[in-house]
Amino acid sequence: MKEAISRLLRTGQETIVRDWTEKVTTDRRINSDARLSYIQLIDHVPEIVEELQRAIVRGEREAPMMSEGREHGRQRWRQGYELKEVVRELTLLRATLVEFLERYRGALPLSAPDELTRSFNRINLFMDDEIYKTVEAYLDAS
């Protein structure tokens, strides 16, 4: 199941990034994105999704080698984002990932519901770590 979810995230990465971008650009709590190009907006989000793919396959016991959240935080500080906007972006990414898996769960092999729950928990743990590392890098840069 872990491999299937990782594969689904990999094949759906463009959709995930596009859906996330739509959420960010329409969210009233994020204003700093208005002055960014599309490439600047997506920043390290595709790489964060790739790190998540690897983390899901490794499982909850292994600490992922995450660096993209740190770079995302530093980049957003350089772009003039407020910290609350950076955190909001990542919470929208979490929501986008969960919504994507819900939408395409029919593409996953049938398995025990607790396996899917464990994967959702892994996504939440991963995103918590990403938010922490992003905020830490943002604060270190300021």
Side-chain angles (χ1 to χ4, degrees):
M1 177 66 126
K2 293 186 295 188
E3 291 80 10
I5 290 173
S6 179
R7 191 171 35 256
L8 182 59
L9 291 172
R10 185 174 47 255
T11 59
Q13 182 171 324
E14 286 183 35
T15 301
I16 292 165
V17 172
R18 186 185 63 244
D19 291 352
W20 171 81
T21 302
E22 289 174 14
K23 281 179 175 36
V24 169
T25 58
T26 59
D27 193 296
R28 291 181 162 167
R29 291 174 272 189
I30 303 172
N31 298 309
S32 296
D33 66 305
R35 60 182 175 265
L36 302 179
S37 69
Y38 180 76
I39 297 299
Q40 290 172 318
L41 177 62
I42 65 170
D43 187 41
H44 293 87
V45 171
E47 291 83 2
I48 290 171
V49 175
E50 288 173 14
E51 284 183 343
L52 172 60
Q53 294 164 22
R54 291 188 296 272
I56 285 174
V57 171
R58 280 194 303 266
E60 294 177 287
R61 289 187 176 85
E62 267 185 66
M65 296 287 291
M66 298 185 307
S67 61
E68 296 305 325
R70 289 184 187 100
E71 187 52 38
H72 185 72
R74 286 189 287 270
Q75 182 67 23
R76 287 302 192 239
W77 180 82
R78 288 190 293 269
Q79 292 168 331
Y81 266 60
E82 293 182 32
L83 182 56
K84 64 185 178 182
E85 293 175 306
V86 178
V87 172
R88 180 68 181 152
E89 275 189 344
L90 292 173
T91 60
L92 290 173
L93 180 57
R94 178 195 318 256
T96 303
L97 289 163
V98 171
E99 289 168 9
F100 177 83
L101 288 177
E102 283 292 333
R103 188 177 335 137
Y104 295 103
R105 75 187 313 169
L108 297 171
L110 293 176
S111 61
D114 61 326
E115 286 185 55
L116 189 56
T117 300
R118 279 194 296 273
S119 295
F120 282 132
N121 288 339
R122 182 65 184 144
I123 290 169
N124 283 321
L125 290 170
F126 176 88
M127 289 306 302
D128 287 347
D129 286 344
E130 281 295 313
I131 291 168
Y132 178 86
K133 289 174 185 341
T134 300
V135 168
E136 182 179 53
Y138 180 97
L139 292 173
D140 287 347
S142 57

